[in-house]
Amino acid sequence: MSRVIVIGGGQSGIAAAQALLERGARPLVLESGPAATGSWPHYYDSLTLFTPAWFNALPGPPLPGDPNRYPTGAEIADYLRDRAESLDCEIRTGHRVTSVTSAPAGFLVRTEHGAELTGTAVVAATGVFSNPHRPELPALDGYTGVVHHSADYRSPEPFAGQRVVVVGAGNSAVQIAVELAEHAEVTLATRKPIQYATNQPIPGDSRFWSVLSAAAHLPLGPLLGHGAIPVVDIAGYKAAIDAGKPDRRDMFVAAEGTSLRWSDGTAEHVDAVILATGYRPALDYLRPLGVLDEAGRPRQRHGISRTHPGLTFVGLEHQRSILSGTMHGCGRDARHVARRLTPSRI
């Protein structure tokens, strides 16, 4: 029987394993962490999803509890752990993949502890968290204060009483800045005004989510590019920012020592800058195959490698739909990939 190796045991890897099992395959899942929960245990403590619980289930059992609530990152980690334990396949935790190369029978997968595994096919489902994006910001040249990425942020207490600037205009940037503003003097620095999905907080049972779910069935992700996702206000974020807690400013223009200078010419001491600037696909282990472009993105279409038959992807942003990078979208993408890897049931 051919073996499919799934790299990554988070939401995308679990969805891929389940889809392959439904097709009669026997996948082997390799997860770098101690449990098949993906990156969820590593996000900031107060993380709340900006989509309701019913919207976030993988194919199969839903999240327990009120389907219209907005779940926390910890709840998602527990849900994924339970889903992984229910799968009838082997999941090896503590197996960080370092390289994938071609082999006579398909692919050779090596781990950091020296294990070598062969498979006829590979599903790369490692998400993005281990590859935080730190954009080139010439305005930060010369800044000697502390610079964090949101991947390093866990809670507001270490910043109590400090002057903090959060860079970014997405959902995480807004959540972190609003939380920090209760403990510190915070500015949210953005290149453009923040774009909100609606002008009021959205309840979990809003028709908005049903419309978005329907739109996510359409394979239009590659056509829509990688534009910014509007901020979904689930807890009065817009009202807090409009009230100046935190305040929102255009990006700072220069730095000297621990001072940042703003576009109006004023300068002030800033203790810490937090870059809430997103992530990029964590796929360096595929570089030996030559399947990544200069930016580290894979050459693929709808999750299927353009260059290496048998190499597939699940969980890439805009892979097939506008929600491919989310729990809502990765299950559908996983089934598409599984059908391509198992054209006839094994």
Side-chain angles (χ1 to χ4, degrees):
M1 180 181 293
S2 60
R3 177 164 69 171
V4 181
I5 298 177
V6 178
I7 305 175
Q11 62 196 39
S12 299
I14 293 170
Q18 178 176 320
L20 288 163
L21 286 166
E22 292 171 353
R23 301 285 299 178
R26 303 294 298 177
L28 168 63
V29 180
L30 303 177
E31 163 59 30
S32 63
T37 53
S39 57
W40 292 101
H42 307 294
Y43 286 109
Y44 51 96
D45 297 342
S46 64
L47 172 65
T48 301
L49 275 69
F50 60 87
T51 47
W54 70 263
F55 196 87
N56 283 284
L58 296 174
L63 271 76
D66 179 4
N68 294 320
R69 77 186 189 286
Y70 290 95
T72 65
E75 289 179 282
I76 297 299
D78 289 342
Y79 170 74
L80 291 177
R81 186 181 294 107
D82 291 343
R83 291 300 302 274
E85 290 175 354
S86 72
L87 294 177
D88 184 22
C89 69
E90 184 179 5
I91 300 177
R92 299 184 189 179
T93 57
H95 279 62
R96 181 180 300 278
V97 171
T98 57
S99 70
V100 178
T101 54
S102 297
F107 299 93
L108 176 64
V109 177
R110 293 184 175 90
T111 73
E112 65 180 353
H113 296 304
E116 294 188 350
L117 306 161
T118 57
T120 55
V122 165
V123 180
T126 40
V128 298
F129 185 79
S130 63
N131 189 22
H133 176 53
R134 300 175 184 268
E136 292 290 333
L137 293 176
L140 265 183
D141 290 348
Y143 179 68
T144 59
V146 176
V147 179
H148 298 286
H149 190 274
S150 56
D152 308 313
Y153 174 81
R154 295 308 298 257
S155 67
E157 286 77 15
F159 302 92
Q162 295 186 8
R163 180 71 176 99
V164 182
V165 173
V166 178
V167 176
N171 286 279
S172 292
V174 167
Q175 276 194 19
I176 290 172
V178 170
E179 176 180 63
L180 273 172
E182 297 298 319
H183 302 262
E185 183 184 352
V186 181
T187 290
L188 186 60
T190 69
R191 297 188 185 280
K192 299 177 181 178
I194 299 168
Q195 299 297 312
Y196 295 93
T198 66
N199 289 324
Q200 299 292 330
I202 305 174
D205 59 354
S206 169
R207 186 171 178 272
F208 172 89
W209 299 116
S210 298
V211 172
L212 183 60
S213 178
H217 281 73
L218 303 174
L220 300 177
L223 298 178
L224 298 178
H226 299 271
I229 299 175
V231 171
V232 180
D233 192 344
I234 62 171
Y237 302 137
K238 184 177 187 299
I241 293 170
D242 288 348
K245 289 188 68 66
D247 73 320
R248 204 289 305 178
R249 303 186 194 179
D250 291 342
M251 278 290 293
F252 47 86
V253 295
E256 183 176 352
T258 60
S259 293
L260 296 183
R261 181 157 50 85
W262 301 96
S263 57
D264 63 1
T266 60
E268 61 177 326
H269 168 78
V270 172
D271 295 291
V273 174
I274 299 176
L275 303 176
T277 46
Y279 302 82
R280 295 293 183 266
L283 297 170
D284 274 356
Y285 55 88
L286 293 178
R287 289 196 181 279
L289 285 176
V291 301
L292 306 180
D293 64 17
E294 294 77 8
R297 293 189 174 92
R299 299 179 177 90
Q300 56 83 34
R301 174 175 169 76
H302 291 174
I304 312 301
S305 171
R306 293 180 179 273
T307 57
H308 288 68
L311 175 63
T312 60
F313 304 86
V314 176
L316 297 174
E317 184 182 20
H318 294 99
Q319 178 174 307
R320 290 189 73 234
S321 77
I322 57 175
L323 295 178
S324 283
T326 70
M327 286 186 65
H328 186 82
C330 69
R332 191 175 301 112
D333 288 1
R335 285 176 167 167
H336 171 75
V337 164
R339 286 193 297 269
R340 291 294 298 270
L341 292 179
T342 58
S344 60
R345 291 181 181 270
I346 297 173

